[in-house]
Amino acid sequence: MAKQRDAVLDAMRGIGIVLMVVGHSGFGGSDFIYLFHMALFFMLSGYFFRLGEGPAGLRRFCVRRVVTLWLPFVAANTFFTLCNNLFLKLNILTDDPRILDLPGNQVTGPVTLKDIVGRTVHWCVFDGGTQLGGALWFVQALFQVSILYALVEFVLRRLRPGQDTLLPQGFVAGVLLLLGWHWSRTGWNIWGLGIAASSYSLFYLGTLARRLGQPARKPALRAGIAAAAFAVLLAMLPFGSVGLAGNQYPNWLFLLLASAAGWVLVYECAHLAALLPRLAALLAALGRATMPIVIFHFLSFKLVTWLGLLATGGEPYLLAAFPTLFTGGAWWLAYTAAGLALPLLAYQPYRMLKNRLLCKGRE
């Protein structure tokens, strides 16, 4: 059962990261994906939440989050800042004002050593970010949510020793969700705290999902449940969208319903995918490479844009179009393939080295 459970959760992570890249690729159905795809990651993180006993357990948890979330956020944004001037020369970024004619784009100027140091300080306190590291808003929010959840859990255990913390955590999640919704309507989101307030409830839903376990179902029933969840999401689409990156959603109930339906859809699809060993292995590999894909998929998109410009004879500054330049047809497939494959390939040597070092450490 443990192996099956791991395979399913690995598949869920893989499906989630594929949906994220597809959503950024110019795919025509991105509004549907946005209803639930980032909520899925908050819920998965809640599903895996574990806090050891006492201050030592809290300390270990916080250190792990610093290493696995805060450090990649700072390192990735610093890397993109260090490469800023090189990217300008390669037209990956541009100071050509004509780029502003393309919606959502910006002019980028060169940076000095002082700029790099100053911006790195800002990254350390989650103040802003880089264009190519735009997807790292999620890493920031997950760090904030998971640390806050652990602190609340620690306090509740102290106040209610030996008692279940699920209900009081639910109360905290509800209060923060209403606060996050209020901030969504007013536009307040300093340091991403509006996003964190809204997403705390999604993290909590993940802990609830773990309590429910993984009931055994026949594949035909799983397919039917997945189809029903898909239909619910499709029916919700005309009534609004979810943009967690900007803490934007119609209301708190819409967010919870879309997130829950998305979880059910991906959960049942992951169980079905786990029945196909090759597909399950591919999704598991993508799931393990979530962080590299989050960090580098926008940069990987540039390869497709560059090849497209070579084929069409477009001007070099257009390489800086963000996140993609070419739309329509099967361009989104090419962007998705690059956004997944290049970070995955780059991650493999690191993973092999890490596993080798761990094996030597055990010896």
Side-chain angles (χ1 to χ4, degrees):
M1 288 300 295
K3 290 183 178 180
Q4 181 185 10
R5 186 176 300 118
D6 289 342
V8 170
L9 295 173
D10 281 344
M12 290 184 73
R13 282 192 294 259
I15 292 171
I17 201 64
V18 170
L19 290 174
M20 185 203 71
V21 176
V22 172
H24 292 155
S25 70
F27 174 61
S30 293
D31 287 345
F32 178 84
I33 292 173
Y34 285 170
L35 284 173
F36 65 92
H37 78 302
M38 295 314 298
L40 174 69
F41 284 109
F42 286 108
M43 293 176 69
L44 278 169
S45 297
Y47 192 99
F48 286 110
F49 175 74
R50 292 287 188 281
L51 183 66
E53 294 299 326
L58 177 62
R59 182 169 58 253
R60 286 193 298 270
F61 180 88
C62 291
V63 169
R64 285 199 303 271
R65 290 302 177 267
V66 166
V67 172
T68 59
L69 296 174
W70 178 85
L71 186 59
F73 178 91
V74 174
N77 279 307
T78 300
F79 168 77
F80 288 131
T81 306
L82 285 169
C83 294
N84 184 89
N85 294 349
L86 173 62
F87 288 162
L88 282 170
K89 292 181 180 179
L90 298 175
N91 290 305
I92 292 173
L93 301 173
T94 186
D95 57 4
D96 192 320
R98 290 179 294 174
I99 199 69
L100 298 176
D101 294 333
L102 300 177
N105 280 268
Q106 64 185 41
V107 170
T108 303
V111 298
T112 64
L113 180 59
K114 181 180 178 181
D115 294 328
I116 294 171
V117 173
R119 293 181 187 183
T120 299
V121 171
H122 283 278
W123 311 151
C124 288
V125 294
F126 294 125
D127 184 15
T130 54
Q131 184 190 60
L132 290 172
L136 288 165
W137 70 267
F138 164 74
V139 177
Q140 171 183 339
L142 183 56
F143 177 84
Q144 294 167 328
V145 169
S146 58
I147 293 294
L148 179 57
Y149 198 96
L151 289 172
V152 172
E153 184 74 11
F154 176 79
V155 171
L156 289 174
R157 290 181 184 181
R158 285 298 181 93
L159 295 175
R160 299 161 52 90
Q163 298 186 49
D164 194 349
T165 61
L166 192 65
L167 285 179
Q169 276 281 20
F171 176 77
V172 174
V175 171
L176 288 176
L177 177 57
L178 293 177
L179 187 59
W181 179 36
H182 170 70
W183 286 339
S184 171
R185 290 179 293 170
T186 61
W188 189 90
N189 191 38
I190 295 177
W191 285 308
L193 294 178
I195 301 171
S198 297
S199 302
Y200 192 98
S201 62
L202 307 177
F203 193 96
Y204 176 71
L205 286 180
T207 65
L208 285 178
R210 182 171 183 86
R211 292 290 187 97
L212 294 175
Q214 297 197 41
R217 297 188 181 106
K218 293 183 178 180
L221 179 57
R222 293 196 181 281
I225 294 174
F230 180 86
V232 169
L233 289 165
L234 203 61
M236 295 179 68
L237 193 56
F239 298 99
S241 61
V242 175
L244 280 179
N247 194 34
Q248 296 296 315
Y249 48 93
N251 57 67
W252 62 269
L253 183 58
F254 187 97
L255 175 63
L256 293 181
L257 181 57
S259 301
W263 173 274
V264 171
L265 172 62
V266 175
Y267 174 79
E268 299 299 347
C269 288
H271 268 281
L272 295 173
L275 300 176
L276 305 173
R278 291 185 179 180
L279 177 59
L282 174 60
L283 290 174
L286 292 171
R288 287 191 296 267
T290 294
M291 186 62 75
I293 293 172
V294 168
I295 294 173
F296 291 115
H297 74 282
F298 283 138
L299 183 60
S300 300
F301 283 174
K302 300 299 181 183
L303 175 62
V304 176
T305 300
W306 177 68
L307 293 173
L309 289 171
L310 286 180
T312 61
E315 296 195 54
Y317 81 92
L318 291 173
L319 180 60
F322 182 85
T324 61
L325 174 62
F326 299 102
T327 59
W331 281 106
W332 69 272
L333 283 172
Y335 281 116
T336 297
L340 293 171
L342 296 181
L344 181 62
L345 290 173
Y347 175 67
Q348 295 312 305
Y350 166 80
R351 182 169 175 266
M352 292 172 62
L353 177 61
K354 178 182 176 181
N355 290 339
R356 188 173 300 173
L357 292 175
L358 287 175
C359 288
K360 287 184 178 180
R362 293 191 187 101
E363 293 172 359

